[in-house]
Amino acid sequence: MVAVASRIRLEDRECPLSTTVQHVGEWWTLLILHDAFDGYTRFDQFQESLGISSSMLTTRLKSLVADGLLERRPYQTNPVRHEYVLTGLGRSLRPVIVALAAWGNSRLAPEERSMILVDAHTGEEVDPAVVDPRTGRRLDDSDAYVFTAGPAASPAMRDRYAAPRVQTRPAR
């Protein structure tokens, strides 16, 4: 048997992006979560919606349960059948799924979009944006917002971010 090297570098093991991708960075996982946000909870619903094989769906659902994103609950006793319900941690990923879909739609002409996000009360299309809740400013400007080492950073992470690109703004 040939050993396969880990796809994650040692210094990435503490990186929140790398660890998140370990949990949700796989094609089927994101699509299962998307279906869960649309209200699907049962194995057959996911399978029919996605056209995924039973073995792949079983594997992905087990991973999502093990990672605490879905909870497996019995909904029928004879025979026992289970549903998969989003946990609080799973529900907290909704803005990420919405942002990914919005990014995909932003590259299409309006008439080419097969799915859009709308306000549930007005039916009007919305344009999601990731913002700093304190200031309301969009976070998509990589010159205005940069990563730097946090309090728990290892020496390797501190080296990576040794010279933070913090820009000083002129006083007003």
Side-chain angles (χ1 to χ4, degrees):
M1 185 175 200
V2 177
V4 178
S6 172
R7 291 167 38 141
I8 297 178
R9 299 173 304 170
L10 183 60
E11 61 267 25
D12 286 339
R13 290 189 182 153
E14 70 180 300
C15 173
L17 180 58
S18 294
T19 56
T20 299
V21 168
Q22 282 183 302
H23 298 287
V24 297
E26 194 272 330
W27 165 284
W28 289 118
T29 301
L30 288 172
L31 296 177
I32 291 166
L33 288 169
H34 177 253
D35 277 1
F37 288 121
D38 281 349
Y40 297 168
T41 60
R42 298 185 180 171
F43 190 95
D44 59 331
Q45 292 174 319
F46 291 118
Q47 191 171 33
E48 183 178 339
S49 170
L50 299 172
I52 186 174
S53 72
S54 295
S55 61
M56 180 64 74
L57 181 56
T58 298
T59 300
R60 294 294 168 242
L61 288 172
K62 282 182 180 178
S63 291
L64 287 164
V65 169
D67 289 342
L69 302 174
L70 293 177
E71 179 183 345
R72 185 174 182 246
R73 297 182 190 163
Y75 70 86
Q76 178 179 309
T77 56
N78 194 10
V80 175
R81 299 208 185 264
H82 294 87
E83 64 181 351
Y84 298 87
V85 179
L86 286 161
T87 63
L89 184 62
R91 284 189 302 277
S92 73
L93 277 168
R94 188 164 195 276
V96 175
I97 302 293
V98 167
L100 285 169
W103 183 85
N105 271 344
S106 73
R107 274 110 191 104
L108 299 172
E111 64 276 5
E112 295 175 325
R113 297 174 183 171
S114 61
M115 176 185 76
I116 59 173
L117 187 67
V118 298
D119 182 301
H121 299 290
T122 66
E124 293 197 29
E125 185 173 359
V126 296
D127 182 21
V130 180
V131 299
D132 174 9
R134 191 176 47 82
T135 64
R137 290 176 42 208
R138 293 178 63 108
L139 300 180
D140 52 3
D141 181 348
S142 59
D143 289 325
Y145 294 96
V146 298
F147 288 106
T148 191
S154 68
M157 187 65 80
R158 290 185 189 286
D159 285 347
R160 177 177 177 148
Y161 295 110
R165 300 179 318 163
V166 176
Q167 297 177 356
T168 56
R169 297 188 187 268
R172 293 185 187 204

